[in-house]
Amino acid sequence: EDEEKRNHLIDHLLNLSLIYFQCLDNYDSAARHAFQVLNYPHNEKQQGDALTIIGGSLKKGGSMEALEIYEKLGELSTHSVEGYYRAGRLNKKLQNLRKAIQFYKKALNVKKTHLKSLVSLGTILMDLEQYDRAVKYFRYAQMVNNKDIESLYGLTNSLFRLKMGNSLYPIDNANA
């Protein structure tokens, strides 16, 4: 009976957050109500729905409050690889690269073979021109899944830049 009441409460919170999101365009309130779901024992689908609303709130114009809520998720759910990964992705999108790196590393502390975190971390390091560090993550991603195109591209690009330097000269067609 307690579980049934809890599930009813969670469904109510999710519905309320959807109303704020879809009908009222109040993205911070949508994120706040969705975050409340994560304060109760919840299943994977409920967590996924709450994360989708929180992430959507940020994309649609939610303020830093929505981002702070998302970051709290990572602190609350220390076993949630997806929570850490999504928090990293959102921080990257907002150009908070140091925080993004921290969240990707937290995801890898929970599951060292999380491919999306390995590739994302390598990509940020490549963007920061830390090619030697990027190579390490892309190589490990290739060990996890040697058919992954993103990690192969990142590895190749990082190795090339390590060997050739970061300044790539365009071909001068006039002298060709």
Side-chain angles (χ1 to χ4, degrees), residues 43-101:
N43 62 38
E44 290 289 320
K45 182 189 179 320
Q46 292 165 332
Q47 177 177 325
D49 291 346
L51 291 173
T52 299
I53 292 167
I54 294 168
S57 295
L58 261 177
K59 287 180 188 172
K60 288 281 195 174
S63 69
M64 289 304 288
E65 181 182 356
L67 178 62
E68 289 168 8
I69 287 170
Y70 214 90
E71 289 176 349
K72 285 180 190 173
L73 167 68
E75 295 167 12
L76 278 179
S77 184
T78 56
H79 298 293
S80 174
V81 174
E82 275 305 308
Y84 286 136
Y85 168 73
R86 290 178 182 185
R89 197 172 76 199
L90 285 171
N91 274 283
K92 181 181 179 195
K93 200 173 260 191
L94 294 171
Q95 295 302 307
N96 298 330
L97 298 183
R98 289 187 199 277
K99 278 197 166 212
I101 288 170

